[in-house]
Each structure stands twice: as structure tokens, then as C-alpha cells.
Amino acid sequence: MSTVPALLEVDHLCTWLDTAEAVVHAVDGLTFQIRRGETFALLGESGCGKSMTALSVMRLLPDAGRIVSGQVLLEGTDLVALPELAMRNVRGARIAMIFQEPGASLNPVMTVGDQIAEVLERHTPLRGVAAHARAVELLDSVGIPDARRRVHEYPFQMSGGMKQRVMIAIALACEPELLIADEPTTALDVTIQAQVLALLREIQAKSGMSLMLITHDLGVVAEIAHRVAVMYAGEIVETAPREAFFARPAHPYSRKLFEALPGAAGRNRQLAMIQGTVPPLSKVFVGCRFADRCESAWRRCREESPAAIAIGEGHTVRCHLYDDRSQESGVKSQLKARASEGDRQPASDKPQSIESLLSVQDLKVHFPIRRGVLQRVVDHVKAVDGVSLDIHSHRTLALVGESGCGKTTVGKGILQLIPVTSGHVTFDGHDFTGLSARQLRPLRKDIQIIFQDPYSSLNPRMRVMEIIEEGMAALRVGEGEGARQQRVDELLQQVGLLPEMKYRYPHEFSGGQRQRIAIARALAVEPKLLICDEPTSALDVSVQAQILNLLKDLQTRLGLAYLFITHNISVVEFLAHEVAVMYLGRIVERGTVDEVLRNPRHPYTRALLSAVPVIDQTTKRDVIHLQGDLPSPIHPPSGCHFNPRCPNAMPECKERYPGTTVLSPTHDVRCFLYGKD
């Protein structure tokens, strides 16, 4: 056992939320420790109580929340017992927090410098010029370029990655002993995520700060954590050192999280799914809280709550499979054998069409910038600047790249949801760019889109049956309302929902269920191509597995083609057949999944793949840290747009954009490292 003293000790903490319907036991008897200088990862699905645990430690609960019992000891001082005035001296000074959404956490009417100075003036003797100078130092320390100028900017003038860095600077302003980071990289690209994680590791090494990391990303946990705690339905079900956890996850819930991860290994089979959802925390639990979703559960699991059992040094698990009574009765071996029988059958793959279903040639989408009283056009945002791609029936093309590179704009341009500046979009023999709105209308049913956030894309005032039926009625699919209602029932069953759910509203569903409704709506008009815009980026691992299995199954049964827009490389490995890598409005490399992901040729593709967090930490790899942020699409760099950030840049890279070099019949790259036209 480690001899390093505990900085924070949480002992049987219970936090309840008083709602109109019932009392929610958001945190129910939580006990854990965080030692000095260590990173403690709290892992689990949405709704299990991770963020409420952090808010309880910080004493920042919502009005309906209250700590009903337990202790939160910071070096022996019980934070629960402190009056609010004393607690204000702890927040920011001794314990700081990075919230999940930096855009919502930063004050939009204050410059970032003033927001940092506000913390300094509250907890340190620094004032005025001295506080401003320290704010510049902090911005520079977290990697904000040109900190002296940026200190006067407002949050809206910064990218997502830079706003997250500002949040880190604010949190570190007073050199806290403990930093709580609530999903600090969830909304970031892999390149920015790698920079933020490297920054946290560097600061921790210099200052000896402790870090409590709240996340559902196993790759991030593998890279940065020292110890891991898995949380489920308000309680911790497993705690272990990182190496032991990733070598031998013990709890059935922990094992299911690993099995649900997408990747190349699962390409020919379906991902394991955790049936059902996290139970409501207003429920009175009798037995194991995971029993209703566990393949290894038996009668005792539903009648008796399991105690925490030590199975190794620092490794405890809350599960009946590991106590002496289960060992003696032989229940453990029987149930483990039963769980192993549930392996998924390989998904069949139909013969692929050699004809192109969608062909995009030199697509450009430039948005005008207007200024002055007369709103004259003074410049253009070159969001998409000459993209060409092809998608075949039964196939999936993944479009990957950093935020702001133009991926979503490509999807909207293909659908003609935004005006296209130039180029051609040919779908099933029809040139969409040459058609009027009236001519496009009957063709729209062949291409549908699934948006990133199903909650904002579903009308909250319409019931599910109205949402699904709306497109069918508009495009005259189905003969009469009776036939359309029957089709709605069939679609809900097809996406794994019950027909009687059609009478509900979107807010009555979980995130994964809402995404299934969005898929059902897209399928209602019988499309041939689905454009999927980050459909799993905001979902837990278990829900993501359900959606990916559904998409793969639908492609097999219905012959659908997908344009899958994402920055999750594991999803690409699992679902896609071809990959196109996009940078600042242009595709820099494309090929089959194996060609691009196993043998990346463009320096940007290499950097992108090197930044992806991996669970296997035994293989040494070098992360390529890109300097600076994505350049502005208003005035992109001359020559190759990647040259200011490229470690292999040559003089000719600044002079002109490279032509296409064909590496194989299915693999090409635009880079001077591989020859010229």
C-alpha cells in the first residue's frame, strides 16, 4: 500500500436532491481517498452521480441539493461542517474546479484577463497591474499564443480548446492543492485533448498537485490516472490502481464498459451492449444496483446488497461473485461461463456495389463577411474549399478532422441545406447543385441527416409519432395516415424502441433513445444515404455501442450508405470502409481504413492519429504535438494550409498547394513529401 498521505478523504458521503416527484439519492454512501500528487479518475455513465460528487466536495450544490450525511476531509478539516464564508476561502485557493463546458462557465461580458485577475484578487495580495501581469503569465503557461494580446479578449473570440485552457489558467491561478476536472476533454478534438492532458501532467509534475478526473473516456483514464474508481447508480462499485484495473477489470459493469469499446478488433462483430439504463436514483435499492442489467446476476444479487471485497492490493469490488459464499457454492464459475456464451455473431457483409452512389466534385462553400451600414461583402470564410469524394452503396466513408475544418459544412452542402459556391454534387445520376428547391424536394428523401445533438434537433412540442411522420407526409411517403402510423410502429421496433413509446415527447427519453428516434425519423422516408454528423460524440460508451450496432445492422439489412462525420478514430475503425482526412476546408488524405489508419502518410494524419488516447500503455508511442491552433479559414496560410504547423514543412510548402499523389488505386495524399503532379 502507498505511504503517501491522503489529501482528501470522502467518508460515507450522501447527497440528496429534493424534486417534486421524489428524493433523488444522487450520491449514496461514497467513500474514497485522493493522495497528494496523484490523479484519481472517477469513471461511469451519465446519471451515475460523478458530477454531483464533485459539486458536493466543492459545496456548490444546486438549491435542491443537500448533503445529508458523511464527511469531506481536506487534510483533516471537514468541509461539510465549514460555514459558507470559510468555504469561500477554500474554493479557488486550495481546491479548484474545471467545469465540463468552458463556454458556459466563462463570463461572456468580461475579458479572460479580468476573470483570472478576479480570482487572484480574491485569494492573493496581487492587485491591478501585478494581477494583470500574473494573468498574462498564467495564459502563457497554459499554452495560449500571444498571451499579452489575448488577455484582453473575450471568451467568444477564442476556440473551444483555448477556452478550456483559460479555464485551466483560472483554476491554477492560486496554485491549488487539488484540481477537480469534470470531463475536461469531452468536447475537444483529439489534438487539443492531447495538449490539455499533457499540460495537466506537466503542471502536476511541477507543483505536486492532486487531480480528480471525472470522465467516461477509458483512453484518457489509461493515459493520465494513477487510481480508478468506477461509479454506478450513486455508489462506487470498483476501485483499483490503473494497471490492475486495465489488466483485470473485476466488476461485471467494468468489464462491459471495456467490451463496448469500438475499434478494429470488433469490425466483424457487434459490440457488447449493456441492456437498459442506469436506474433512477430516486428508487429504493434492495440488492445490487446493477443486477437488472447484469448477465451474471442470480437471486442473491436482487435480495442482498454486496459489500466491498478486497481482491488485490488496493483493488476492491462490490460484487457477490467475489465473496466466499459464491466461491463455495460454485455460482461464480457457472455464471462466468454463462456470460462468456453471449459472444456476438459476426455481422454479415453484402457484396459491395462498384457504382458510385454519391459523387462530390470540387465542392466549395464560401460564406460572405459583410460590414458597414450597407452590409457590403468585404471577404469570405472559405469553410469548404474544393472537396471531392465518392461514396458507394453499402459503404461507409468517414470524414475526420479537427473542429472548424469544414466537415459539417460538407454534409450540409451535399444536402443543399446551405448555398454552395461552386462544384457538383451528383447523387444517383442527379446533379443536386443544378436543381431548384422544387426539383430538389422529391429527391431529398434519398439522403437524410442525423445531427450531433438529438435533443436540439427534435421538436420538443411534438410527440415521437408526429416527429417521425412529419417527413413522410411532406415527401408523400406512405398511403394515408393509417399506413404511416403502421410504418412509425415498424420503425420504432427497427431501432429498438417499443411502438407505444410513440405517444411520448423527446424530454421523456434518454440521450441514446433520442438518437434512436432521430435515426427512425431519417429512415422513415426510405433513404439510400445517411449523413451522420457526430451522432455518438456526446454519448456514453454503452449507449454509443447500441447506436453503432444499430447503424451497422441497418447497413447490412437495408443496404444503406453512410457519410460518417466524426473525430473519434475508434468509431472509424469499427464502422467505416474508407476514410477522408480534412484540414481547413480541403481533404489532405483518403483511402481505405487500413491504408490510412495503419499507414498514414500526410503529416497531419500522423499527428491526428498519434494524439488518440489508447488503453494499451505497454506500447511506447510518440505523440506529435501540433503547434498553435487551426488557422482562420478567412485568410488561410499560403501554399499548403498545414505548413505553419507541419514538422516536415519545406520551402515549396509555403509557395503553392500540393497536388494529389496516388499511392495506390484506393489511397492518395496531397503532400510534397510524396512527389508532384
Side-chain angles (χ1 to χ4, degrees), residues 34 86 89 111 117 152 253 273 373 438 577 594 642:
I34 301 178
N89 294 325
T111 65
H152 300 292
Y253 176 59
M273 296 189 297
V373 177
R438 173 176 280 185
H577 300 97
D594 287 336
F642 187 59

Side-chain angles (χ1 to χ4, degrees), residues 39 41 43-44 183 185 190 193-194 197 201 213 215-226 228 242 245-246 257-258 261-262 541 544 568 570 610-617 621 623:
T39 297
L43 186 70
E183 300 276 10
T185 62
V190 289
Q193 175 179 265
L197 293 179
R201 279 195 296 261
L213 176 68
T215 184
H216 61 253
D217 191 326
L218 286 164
V220 171
V221 173
E223 292 223 344
I224 198 172
H226 298 104
V228 183
R242 178 189 62 191
F245 178 72
F246 283 93
L257 289 178
F258 279 90
L261 288 174
V541 172
Q544 174 182 265
N568 189 327
S570 297
S610 77
V612 177
V614 295
I615 289 177
D616 182 8
Q617 295 292 303
R621 66 191 185 100
V623 177

Side-chain angles (χ1 to χ4, degrees), residues 343-357:
D343 292 341
R344 305 272 173 178
Q345 294 299 317
S348 60
D349 198 10
K350 292 184 179 180
Q352 309 301 335
S353 169
I354 60 172
E355 295 181 2
S356 178
L357 179 66

